[in-house]
Amino acid sequence: MTDTEGSDWVSRTADEVIAEADRRAPGAPVVCASGLSPSGPIHLGNLRELMVPHLVADEIRRRGRECVHLLSWDDYDRLRRVPAGLPPSFTEHVGRPLTAVPDPDDAYDSWAERFKAPVRAAMDALGIEVREISQTAMYASGAYADAILHALDERARIDSILARYRTRPGVGDAEGTEDTGDTGPTDSAAGLYYPYRPYCHRCGRDTTQVTSYDATGALVDYACAACGHRDRVHLREDNHGKLVWKVDWPMRWAHERVMFEPFGADHSAPGSSFTVGAQVVREVFGGQPPVPLPYSFVGIRGMAKMSSSAGGVPTPADGLRILEPAVLRWLYARRLPAQSFTIDFGAEVSRLYDEWDRLAARIEAGQAQPWERDVADRATTTSRGRVAGPRRRVSFRVLASLLDVTAGDTAQVGRILAGFDDATAGDGAPDTGSQGITVADVEPRLSLARTWLAEQVPAEERTHVRTEPDSDLLASLTAEDAVSLRELTTRLTDDWTLSGLTRLVYGVPKLRAGLTVDDPATAEVKRAQRGFFRLLYRLLVGADRGPRLPTLLLALGPGRVRALLGQGDALLGERDAPHSQAGSPAGESRLTEPG
Ligand SMILES: [Zn+2]
């Protein structure tokens, strides 16, 4: 993965949005908007719809300018189909507003609320602050009555705008699954096009057609195709329907004076909602379209057993069970919206955390580029304060290994961490000189590592530490191997830190070859190292490979290591690590697992 150098798209977009705001009304509050349809789980791809305007709105606030981020819930949209996993009897709700469809589990007030609730919790964790707008509430309140009447008065003009993009009936909508409500030229040819669709008073569905519109009386008559009901909507009194999507969206841009709203790249094709909406808002509502910013999709890999609740599509809540809020924010902040990216919840998670920790270390050392600092700053803080994260930084990889080799025993992990100082903790740990890390210091990362290990790492890839020494293997050691093991155990606690143990495991074969631990390895030494590592894995975990050896040694403690290596008479139960020693060399090369 490479960052896009110099791409502080957030700052550039904020410049553009502020300029647009000042062009419209100098000094007025800036309005950014997101729109989500709570028709199903809001997944990590949809999170971009929230994250992009959030980052821009937050940048505008950081500059001291008042800015509101609206989250428009399209909860007055119709239920389009029976959701996966629900019985066919749910068909009766198709065509009803999402807020009028019950939650099948009765846990929420409606189908729409079922999917809003987890998004609110995720926004809270991620530091995303919005003003929520329910379209059901807005339509029901009559807030849009004037706009609806205006759209009905201007229906011929709207029809002609839509007609510019129609090629043949039913075509011309890039987003085929959208409820475009554009009923095609057949109606308009007869002068019967209405950009408004009532929800039937009897069956609650939008399977209706307006049969007449009375501008003076502010009412429409309709007939329902589903149940045959015919009725009348008094638009100023009991509004019971909505504008079709391609008119509804631009109407809201005008109503809320939206200056910035990103959208999925599929909305930006010719004839799609945004291009049509831009004309509708100008020509019909006398408003302006928002500054556009299409964003690409977010792919997901390695999501093994997650998201049973979300039908296999991971949600922000699922992501936050493995990634710290700042890391998740970072993924969205560092990419240009036009770039798609993939979140990998498999083995890549450790590498992602490593990358994040190294960035933090470079920033602390004053070695990061300004744009890297900006992106990290947007990930860890908002204009309101810091996003929750661990007090002390211990490598995710190390924490996962500790949980792995201790079979998830928190007390044992706590004892090992107590022997850590910041130099022990791994790449990117700041050297504060303070000793003894507690479990609380590394939360929530420890819990996230636990979830990851339990849910994403297959059982056969976990480590099974030997419960007793492999006496057969120990009895068949070559003299050279035996000396190497003695060399290792003798020096084991000289520098009981991650970097100290890294030097040691690489160093023993160098010492055996007559070099010092700090000499570069020759080809011959490298071969010896590979053989030595394999021997250690066989004796410690009964396999040819495993977690990085220094991590493994730290997790086991010197007593257990000595016992399994057949050196000394320490009891297997001994786990206490000696006090760690500060001052180990920085920048030690990383240990890579032998193949
Ligand atoms: Zn009906």
Side-chain angles (χ1 to χ4, degrees), residues 200 202-204 207 224 226-227 229:
C200 173
R202 184 193 281 166
C203 74
T207 44
C224 176
C227 73
H229 186 62

